[in-house]
Amino acid sequence: LARYSGQDDISVGTPIAGRNRTELEGLIGFFVNTLVVRTKLEEGASFRQVLRQVKETTLGAYAHQEVPFEKLVEELKPERDLSRTPLFQVMFTLQNSAKGPDESLPASAGLELRPVETEGATAKFDLTLAMSETSQGFTASLEYNTDLYDAETARRLLRHLAVLLEGIAKDAETSVWDLPLLEREERQRVLKLFAGTVVPEANASAATIHGRFAEQVKKRPDAVAVEHEGTQLTYAQVEARANQLARHLRTLGVGEESRVGVCVERSAELVVALLGVLKAGAAYVPMDGMYPKERLAYMLEATGARVVVTQASLEEVLPEFTGQRVRLDADAGVLATYPEETLGHTGASEQLAYVLYTSGSTGQPKGVMVRHGSVLNLHAGLKKTVYGELPAGSRVSLNAPLVFDASVQQWVQLLDGHCLCIVPEATRKDAAAMVAWQRSNRVAALDCTPSLLKLMLEEGLLEGEGAPALVVSGGEAIDAAMWKVLGAAEHTRTFNVYGPTECTVDATALAVERGTHPTVGMPLHNVRTYVLDAKGQPVPVGVPGELYLGGEGLARGYLGQPGLTAERFVPDGYSEEAGARLYRTGDKVRWG
């Protein structure tokens, strides 16, 4: 049973809680005919080997069977908790000294003996598995604490036990960690039904981000695309300026798969810079002017960028650079001399869209390479799940800095014809100012972290009809109290989203609704999710494991780091697609 909680050892007889582990090692007690012992499961040990080890440990334990349970408690001094028993919470009993309930018992001293089945109304422990030996085999019953488990979970545990025993009977030399737990139906469920929905791409002709933006330009050229502190640019204006920038970048040698640094202040020109780089066939590398020059220099060198798109006000924060600098403001006259028409080359979905560097908290920052197709799949999945009810032309926020991947899901809302309202830098750091900004700018969709959202709730974000219609929150966990508040909101629908940078921003989403509890939800379409154990095998429903992600959102890997890419992006043994990979998130999850 300890296997269900991810422990690396189990207790035989009566499992012992993980606390005071050093003191518990080797200590043996005896209480009400129940041994309290510990058995270590070695890597690769077969069931037969474990059985011999358990036998030796158990026989040795009888030499100390006179030690009373009270003495154990006195010596170990476990932390007292009225909600659980000390030392152990899971019991296993084997009744092998009497006949089964349907078999006669020998008379003794004139007494007639017959078995009587009894049912307890109160669970003594979290779980108690009782087995009895009969002439037909073994019978088993599972008693459980209803505060912790429901009937379906208990039944599922017994089904897993049956599968485990069948596997042992088939081959007792199998490693205990390789023995099966899942029935065929449940295995198919966790591998297929939970893996996500496959949705074919609806518009393969516009396979790039800038191609999809051009479609919106044709539909709504005069609609406002970007707004920042009173400055507005229409879809047609953004398209024209981005085309001019792209043509200029081409003259500087920028082409397919090139990387171009983008270090631009929060402004309407920010979107022009991004689209201009993409239209030139290159991938943008977001750079924060607040970063140390050493880090910016490392990013430029690692990406091989020969051009940086910036502004005159930021030139001083950039490191020494032998390449070209394109200043959107100071070089506006030069850029204006280029034609405004779209370049003939449209690109492809497999083309690199951006290289985003992680925080680098565990060493040198890693450059995650994301292609156009992954971003478009994210956009389509969020549109279907999260943003679908917003009518075209809705005002949505760009709150995240460009160096955070959340900015991607925010600014690509332009592909649905929305107006992107860029939150001023000073405003986004002040919860009260954010609420006032949202109200005055009539922003319908707000994207922010739970920590900022909590402060904004205290400032009255959800009060009245001026509240946003949609709130998208991710990057951190939403606690139960805030989940309850969000679920009860009258005018606002909130979604909790989850995903690592390596899987293109978001992989899962869930609506926060009344009566539900915090989870990361289900996968977006064309995203595969697996919960696997240390051996890479699927774990049962309710059992913790590591989350693996695959599908269209998967990044190419880490730029210039093939070893690390191979370590984190592993072959997908459960996909029928040749060359399919999975990303190891390192996050512990379970199917609820």
Side-chain angles (χ1 to χ4, degrees), residues 563-576:
L564 185 60
T565 298
E567 177 186 332
R568 303 297 298 181
F569 294 83
V570 298
D572 183 355
Y574 303 105
S575 173
E576 297 176 357

Side-chain angles (χ1 to χ4, degrees), residues 207-208 257 347-353 370-374 552 556:
T208 60
E257 297 294 312
S349 63
E350 294 302 316
Q351 202 163 298
L352 199 61
V370 177
R371 60 190 181 86
H372 283 260
S374 295
E552 290 298 314
R556 286 188 187 175

Side-chain angles (χ1 to χ4, degrees), residues 16-90:
I16 301 175
R19 61 173 65 94
N20 297 327
R21 185 165 183 161
T22 302
E23 294 88 347
L24 290 171
E25 288 291 344
L27 190 63
I28 303 170
F30 188 80
F31 177 63
V32 195
N33 297 323
T34 300
L35 291 174
V36 179
V37 298
R38 178 175 291 276
T39 297
K40 185 82 171 177
L41 293 185
E42 300 295 340
E43 182 72 23
S46 70
F47 175 77
R48 198 180 299 279
Q49 290 172 323
V50 172
L51 198 60
R52 285 196 293 266
Q53 181 183 355
V54 170
K55 179 181 178 180
E56 293 173 2
T57 303
T58 304
L59 290 176
Y62 281 103
H64 305 276
Q65 60 182 303
E66 75 283 355
V67 179
F69 180 73
E70 290 80 0
K71 183 64 175 177
L72 279 178
V73 175
E74 178 184 339
E75 291 293 327
L76 295 177
K77 297 180 176 59
E79 179 184 345
R80 294 307 180 105
D81 185 344
L82 296 179
S83 68
R84 59 195 299 178
T85 58
L87 298 187
F88 63 90
Q89 293 78 46
V90 179

Side-chain angles (χ1 to χ4, degrees), residues 448-461:
C448 61
T449 62
S451 55
L452 175 58
L453 179 57
K454 183 176 183 179
L455 297 175
M456 294 177 69
L457 292 176
E458 296 173 357
E459 298 294 336
L461 174 67

Side-chain angles (χ1 to χ4, degrees), residues 393-428:
S394 296
R395 298 171 66 80
V396 301
S397 68
L398 174 58
N399 180 35
L402 197 60
V403 292
F404 291 140
D405 63 351
S407 65
V408 177
Q409 77 174 35
Q410 294 169 22
W411 81 265
V412 296
Q413 295 310 312
L414 288 168
L415 308 189
D416 283 327
H418 298 314
C419 174
L420 189 67
C421 300
I422 300 177
V423 184
E425 182 63 29
T427 300
R428 58 181 299 275

